[in-house]
Structures are given as C-alpha cells and as structure tokens.
Amino acid sequence: MIKNPFSAIILKEENKENRGSVEFQVVSFTNRIRRLTLHLELHKKDYLSQRGLRKILGKRQRLLAYLAKKNRVRYKELIGQLDIREKTR
C-alpha cells in the first residue's frame, strides 16, 4: 500500500526492486520535504526539523545535479513530473 501519490508515479513506471534508483530517491526526498514544510508552517520554532529539512534539501540537490550531469532527458522528465524546479527555455 502506497500512501504518497508521488512515489506511486515512479513505482508504476519502474520495478519495485529498483528503489535505489536516483528517481525513486528524489521522489522520496520530495515527499519528506513537502511533509516537513507543512509541519514547519505549524511549528515555526522546531529547529531540529528545520535542520533535517536543510539536510534533505542538500541530498536532493546533489542527486538532481548528478542526474542532470549523467542523463539530461531523465532529469527533465523527473522535474517535470514533480514540479520542483522552474522550467527554463
């Protein structure tokens, strides 16, 4: 049973055995980022969650940079599906 619709997008396209792929990791980080952002809107002084959010953002940024360097087409498809970056050009 999948609770997050964003991970369902990637799981439908790929095998369940491929959970270590860059796309799946970025999707799971994006889900965690969105949940933490909602949490921090309610609890503004939760500094430990803010630190965790910054760490997850950094990990996702490094994975996206790696994907953009290795396979530009997969990178553009992923950011289009997740709507996480501004579309340029």
Side-chain angles (χ1 to χ4, degrees), residues 26 29-30 33 56-65 84:
V26 170
F29 285 146
T30 302
I33 288 167
I56 294 169
L57 283 168
K59 287 181 185 181
R60 185 179 74 174
Q61 183 179 9
R62 287 191 300 273
L63 281 172
L64 286 171
I84 54 176

Side-chain angles (χ1 to χ4, degrees), residues 6-7 9 12 18 24 32 39-40 44 46-48 60 62-63 67-69 73-74 76 78-80 85 87:
F6 300 108
S7 59
I9 294 170
K12 286 180 184 176
N18 202 3
F24 186 85
R32 290 174 64 190
H39 169 78
L40 288 171
K44 296 185 187 328
D46 189 355
Y47 299 116
L48 290 176
R60 185 179 74 174
R62 287 191 300 273
L63 281 172
L67 187 62
K69 185 170 62 172
V73 174
R74 284 174 42 197
K76 289 188 182 226
L78 183 63
I79 62 170
R85 300 256 170 120
K87 293 157 184 75

